[in-house]
Amino acid sequence: MLALIPLAPLLGFLVNASVGRRLAKTTSGGLASAAMLASFGVSLLAVWQLAGLPVEQRAIEQTLYTWIASGDFVLDLTLRVDPLSAVMILVITGIGSLIHIYSTAYMHDEVDSEYARYFSYLNLFAAFMLILVLGANFLVLFVGWEGVGLCSYLLIGFWFRKQSAADAGKKAFVVNRIGDYAFILGTLFIFVRFGTLNFQQLASMVAAMPPETGVFGAMSIATLLLFIGATGKSAQIPLYVWLPDAMEGPTPVSALIHAATMVTAGVYMIGRNAVLFSHAPETMLIVATIGALTALMAATIGLVQNDIKRVLAYSTVSQLGYMFLAMGMGAFGAGIFHLYTHAFFKALLFLGSGAVIHALHGEQDVRNMGGLKRYLPITYWTFLIGALAIAGVPFLSGFFSKDEILFETFAAGHWIFWTMGVVTSLLTATYMFRLVFLTFHGERRHDVPPVLHHDDASHRPDSASHRHDSGSHLHDAPPAMALALIVLALGSVLAGYIGVPHVLGGENRLAAWLEPSFHAPQATAVEVFEAEPEAGEEGEAGLELTLMAVSSAIALIGIGLAAFIWLKRRDVAASMARTYAGLHRLLLNKYYVDEVYDATVVQPIRIASQEGLWRGFDVQVVDGAVNGTGALVAAGSTVLRRLQTGSVRAYAGSMFVGVVVILGYYLWR
């Protein structure tokens, strides 16, 4: 039944893409949502069956057909569910189903054909992501890897008539191709070095080899290339720049990309190859360093952004940095745990922001919001739960997963990374509650005709979004949107309890569930590295409780700081912006990274192509060769057409001359 998991949304795509324009909105949206729910149902059955197997045998495979057979090399199109992919398919189909249901209301202003096109892309996105996580080898994974890249282009640029959306889609596509180039090289390097692309076979071969400690050998090169690919998909330095611009797409698309699908692909890929990465400690250190730097840098940018969706976008980049920090520390289970909890509260926050934008008819600037708490109670309380969860407030889902990452980092002896993680946690709590207070608290600041920036309604000048006057009634999320918000809010509260640490009297069932996926089959020669504290059990418990108290205090301090600055004394924020104008400008302009890339990469290529390559090579060589060939043919035809006079006497004479020449040649020889 594994093939049915990606097949259901794929069929939904085919129907909506082919005949969707002839269907009513309720039919096309309902069909797409039903396809995702069907996939979720089959995923539940598969995971239930998987859980019933003995721990060492928890894997279900389905070989669809032999894909490549060349000499001794045979590669099958095989789908595989093990504990790691089981978590992923439940996240993708579960969160994805809620986003589909939410979209049926959010996108209702679209015309029928555009509505069907949107849902066809959404289904295709989910199908490719499911292929990615179910693939039993690199090549099947790569099909899904490229597929989600294609779908991100289609969905980010969904409103392609809007220039900024079209540019954002192209930017996402190009930046991901850079990472994908390295990923392909890494895959080919692994095949040449080990002769296989199957994950299980590769893990068994690598497990019998010693780690490359102190050297940068074949495994380090392969893993570094794979990690560069992951920086593209999962938006890490230096290839993170596409993700904030992805906000140009519809808000549910932002939720799907940021929470359930594309950006988690890089984290999953490293977890899938945990044995390989654990044997390349030099690469692991690079992964941790990039993750920590990305987490901290994105958090500082999010602190001053004014677009509600861009704050959440930089929050996603920062939280992905947390996940890569965990992976680099060898705490693969902690990284996947945070991926799982993050899916709930980040989807909730994006869909909550969409409900705010929907109520304000396109407004995204938090400086033009305020006082929405009383008008949008469902949106407010669910958004607040998401903000508390991502801030790491005790006993919500984000607290458990974030605390485990910080504990594993500290226990591994990397104090600098731990400090960076703690500072990031402080900044996260601060900017998230800045967002809450500016949006929902204080005085209402939107009693003016809405200023439509680059959001969802701006592409439709004749839509209902533009026909509301300044006195229009604010409305909370309609039922389909409210349902998704409430379910995700419940997940944001409860999802973390599957990984309660032992020190709190719980049992980290998720870590135990995932553990077999991070080891080679029957591997005893070399164990996958896991960060462990050097202290005894009592010392370890004391250390964990202390670090837990520190992270909890940090979250509460961040919330208190945000309340003081943006709830009690908003003049302080303006004063700080004036006092530290240079730093504020640097953060507001996102460290000018896009401008640097434009000056050092984009413009030189454009100038070279227009002036150098175009005038030199393209015009002189390519066009010259084509035009020269045409001139040569024209000249030759001018001569040859003299032979085609239409005179029988001339033809007979030329034949006679030809016969004489041929006979003369043979007689001479």
Side-chain angles (χ1 to χ4, degrees), residues 606-623:
R606 183 186 63 79
I607 293 171
S609 62
Q610 290 182 349
E611 301 298 330
L613 292 175
W614 181 68
R615 295 186 184 278
F617 184 77
D618 193 43
V619 174
Q620 300 296 328
V621 178
V622 177
D623 289 353

Side-chain angles (χ1 to χ4, degrees), residues 51 82 97 129 138 159 241 302 335 429 475 482 541 592 645:
D82 66 354
S97 296
M129 189 65 194
F138 272 103
W159 291 313
V241 291
H475 56 88
Y592 296 98
T645 62

Side-chain angles (χ1 to χ4, degrees), residues 48 63 78 328 343 392 463 532 599:
W48 180 266
T63 299
T78 301
S463 71
E532 293 290 346

Side-chain angles (χ1 to χ4, degrees), residues 227 444 505:
F227 173 61
R444 184 174 174 182

Side-chain angles (χ1 to χ4, degrees), residues 144-417:
W145 188 274
E146 289 299 290
V148 294
L150 167 65
C151 292
S152 68
Y153 166 76
L154 295 173
L155 284 168
I156 294 169
F158 177 75
W159 291 313
F160 55 87
R161 293 182 181 87
K162 186 169 60 170
Q163 188 61 43
S164 58
D167 290 343
K170 288 185 287 187
K171 184 176 183 179
F173 193 81
V174 171
V175 172
N176 273 276
R177 296 294 73 71
I178 297 170
D180 294 351
Y181 181 72
F183 185 85
I184 293 171
L185 291 179
T187 302
L188 294 175
F189 190 91
I190 288 171
F191 177 69
V192 171
R193 177 67 177 79
F194 297 100
T196 183
L197 293 175
N198 183 278
F199 294 126
Q200 298 304 303
Q201 294 175 7
L202 177 65
S204 297
M205 296 171 67
V206 171
M209 303 170 66
E212 292 181 341
T213 306
V215 297
F216 208 85
M219 285 185 283
S220 298
I221 294 172
T223 50
L224 181 60
L225 289 169
L226 293 178
F227 173 61
I228 294 172
T231 62
K233 278 289 179 288
S234 295
Q236 298 295 285
I237 294 173
L239 300 179
Y240 70 93
V241 291
W242 68 270
L243 193 59
D245 287 7
M247 299 304 96
E248 294 291 344
T251 301
V253 170
S254 303
L256 190 65
I257 292 176
H258 287 243
T261 56
M262 184 170 171
V263 297
T264 63
V267 182
Y268 165 79
M269 186 270 295
I270 292 179
R272 173 55 66 208
N273 294 282
V275 177
L276 180 63
F277 274 83
S278 66
H279 281 66
E282 302 297 327
T283 302
M284 294 279 278
L285 182 61
I286 294 173
V287 172
T289 303
I290 294 296
L293 288 173
T294 303
L296 184 58
M297 185 195 71
T300 59
I301 296 174
L303 198 61
V304 300
Q305 298 301 304
N306 297 311
D307 184 307
I308 187 171
K309 288 173 65 177
R310 283 188 178 265
V311 174
L312 296 177
Y314 281 104
S315 169
T316 299
V317 176
S318 182
Q319 296 304 305
L320 287 166
Y322 257 115
M323 298 174 204
F324 278 101
L325 173 60
M327 294 303 194
M329 291 293 98
F332 301 108
I336 298 300
F337 186 19
H338 196 54
L339 182 156
Y340 158 73
T341 59
H342 176 263
F344 285 96
F345 53 72
K346 185 49 60 68
L348 172 61
L349 290 167
F350 266 111
L351 297 185
S353 72
V356 171
I357 295 167
H358 190 267
L360 297 180
H361 316 300
E363 180 60 71
Q364 288 184 220
D365 194 323
V366 294
R367 294 170 296 183
N368 298 327
M369 298 181 186
L372 295 178
K373 177 182 176 181
R374 59 179 293 192
Y375 301 102
L376 312 175
I378 295 175
T379 302
Y380 169 71
W381 288 108
T382 54
F383 195 93
L384 179 62
I385 290 171
L388 290 168
I390 195 174
V393 170
F395 308 113
L396 297 181
S397 62
F399 164 76
F400 294 110
S401 57
K402 189 179 293 187
D403 176 74
E404 185 174 349
I405 292 174
L406 292 174
F407 170 67
E408 295 282 4
T409 303
F410 189 92
H414 291 277
W415 296 46
I416 295 177
F417 291 154

